[in-house]
């Protein structure tokens, strides 16, 4: 199967895939960074696609800011509950799986993701750093205490939807304020420990594999620049042009679910 995939992808980029594979096989401190594009082939919409992107259908200021939650906590909560249900229904794709297998080939590496889904973990990646939080996490809007709200099963959630009992977010058992999703909204700081870990990994990284991000949202979009300034190289995987194109060492133009298995196959060839 992998042979077929490398043959297909090779029509577009044989030389570049081999070059990138060589760099990865020789790397000592590789780093992987992902954005919404890696989960697109699992059926999760990206944010900035002009037609299917979440921000083409919804306004971030209505759903993804602390002010939006204060204004209309029920609306924001229900939107995230729907995203959780959508996530439970999808599976990791060939791109997520290839990244998990890459760690077996080149050694364990940190995987910094802007995604709030758990598809990297479900595919078997171990050192996942979530820069923008996690969809299944919840904590108190006021006192920040973590909450186990999301331990509920999908069935219980669906029942709650049917009875309308999830119209508003649950209340914090400590202070009584509303519980919110543990995702980073616009205007909020990134989780300090996650950012510190990602920044340190970028500073010492020799090859960054940057996949499926428009490279428009900061501070995450600073990471490739940190790698390049420290003398590392950047391999980008994306079917569309991005803000990173002119600075990337190699641009592998294509879908993550096709390019990454081909890249893994080419790394395997390097190792044999
Ligand atoms: N494989 C690889 N890349 C893909 C694929 C695919 N199959 N499909 C789409 N892409 C690319 C798009 O071309 C685009 O460059 O994924 C990128 C998605 O970009 P965005 O929608 O801007 O997502 P992302 O970069 O992750 O956004 C960053 O913005 O609103 C926020 O918090 C949200 O974490 C998110 C942040």
């Amino acid at each position: 199967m992998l042979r077929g995939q490398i043959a297909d992808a090779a029509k577009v980029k044989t030389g570049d895939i081999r070059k990138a594979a060589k760099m990865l096989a020789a790397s000592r401190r590789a780093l992987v960074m992902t954005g919404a594009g890696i989960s697109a082939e699992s059926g999760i919409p990206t944010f900035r696609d002009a037609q299917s992107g979440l921000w083409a259908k919804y306004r971030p200021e209505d759903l993804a800011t602390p002010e939006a939650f204060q204004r209309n906590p029920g609306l924001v909560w229900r939107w995230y509950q729907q995203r959780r249900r959508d996530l439970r229904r999808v599976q990791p794709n060939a791109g997520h799986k290839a990244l998990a297998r890459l760690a077996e080939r080149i050694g364990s590496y940190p995987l910094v993701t802007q995604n709030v889904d758990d598809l990297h973990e479900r595919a078997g990646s171990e050192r996942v750093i979530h820069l923008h939080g996690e969809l299944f996490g919840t904590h108190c809007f006021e006192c920040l205490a973590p909450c186990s709200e999301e331990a509920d099963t999908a069935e219980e959630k669906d029942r709650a939807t049917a009875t309308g009992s999830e119209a508003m977010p649950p209340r914090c058992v400590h202070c009584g304020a509303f519980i919110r999703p543990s995702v980073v909204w616009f205007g909020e700081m990134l989780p300090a420990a996650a950012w510190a870990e990602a920044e340190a990994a970028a500073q010492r990284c020799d090859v960054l594999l940057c996949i499926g991000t428009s490279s428009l949202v900061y501070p995450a979009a600073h990471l490739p620049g940190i790698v390049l300034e420290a003398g590392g190289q950047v391999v980008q995987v994306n079917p569309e042009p991005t803000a990173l194109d002119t600075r990337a060492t190699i641009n592998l133009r294509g879908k993550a679910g096709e390019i990454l298995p081909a890249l893994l196959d080419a790394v395997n060839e390097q190792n044999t």
Side-chain angles (χ1 to χ4, degrees):
M1 181 185 166
L2 286 177
R3 293 292 146 193
Q5 281 164 334
I6 195 170
D8 289 345
K11 278 181 210 150
V12 197
K13 289 281 173 200
T14 316
D16 283 349
I17 286 180
R18 291 235 163 84
K19 217 160 107 190
K22 214 173 201 171
M23 281 162 52
L24 283 166
S27 73
R28 294 177 160 270
R29 290 170 306 278
L31 175 63
V32 172
M33 171 178 177
T34 63
I38 184 111
S39 298
E41 289 157 86
S42 291
I44 299 186
T46 63
F47 292 93
R48 291 176 182 76
D49 183 89
Q51 264 83 47
S52 63
L54 287 176
W55 299 151
K57 292 189 187 154
Y58 307 98
R59 285 161 22 110
E61 53 272 44
D62 291 338
L63 296 164
T65 66
E67 295 76 22
F69 187 74
Q70 279 170 314
R71 234 179 2 250
N72 197 339
L75 176 79
V76 173
W77 182 253
R78 287 191 299 277
W79 190 65
Y80 281 95
Q81 288 293 69
Q82 186 56 52
R83 286 184 62 193
R84 290 178 183 128
R85 278 194 291 273
D86 293 343
L87 177 54
R88 285 190 181 100
R89 291 190 186 110
V90 304
Q91 301 301 327
N93 64 53
H96 297 108
K97 290 177 192 164
L99 287 181
R101 290 186 55 203
L102 184 64
E104 294 161 16
R105 289 288 152 195
I106 65 168
S108 163
Y109 56 78
L111 195 165
V112 178
T113 187
Q114 296 166 85
N115 299 345
V116 295
D117 66 49
D118 61 350
L119 295 177
H120 284 305
E121 287 91 341
R122 281 202 254 155
S125 282
E126 280 169 3
R127 297 170 62 189
V128 184
I129 302 168
H130 283 272
L131 285 186
H132 294 168
E134 296 180 63
L135 202 47
F136 289 123
T138 50
H139 64 271
C140 175
F141 186 78
E142 292 295 340
C143 77
L144 310 182
C147 164
S148 60
E149 165 66 18
E150 276 314 307
D152 292 352
T153 65
E155 274 169 30
E156 280 163 341
K157 285 287 154 205
D158 287 341
R159 211 169 24 248
T161 315
T163 59
S165 62
E166 67 159 1
M168 292 297 282
R171 297 276 183 177
C172 174
V173 292
H174 305 288
C175 75
F178 282 130
I179 294 296
R180 57 164 284 178
S182 295
V183 301
V184 178
W185 283 326
F186 287 98
E188 293 188 312
M189 300 291 285
L190 267 52
W195 175 249
E197 208 183 335
E199 199 178 23
Q203 271 153 0
R204 58 171 184 263
C205 145
D206 52 6
V207 182
L208 169 68
L209 185 55
C210 184
I211 306 150
T213 174
S214 56
S215 295
L216 292 174
V217 176
Y218 288 84
H222 280 307
L223 292 175
I226 295 174
V227 171
L228 291 165
E229 270 162 41
Q233 296 179 298
V234 174
V235 176
Q236 180 178 223
V237 178
N238 201 306
E240 304 291 337
T242 76
L244 181 62
D245 282 12
T246 54
R247 288 177 298 148
T249 319
I250 301 178
N251 282 299
L252 300 177
R253 194 73 80 206
K255 293 182 174 181
E258 293 167 8
I259 296 286
L260 293 177
L263 190 57
L264 177 69
D265 211 19
V267 169
N268 286 340
E269 281 176 7
Q270 292 290 322
N271 288 343
T272 53

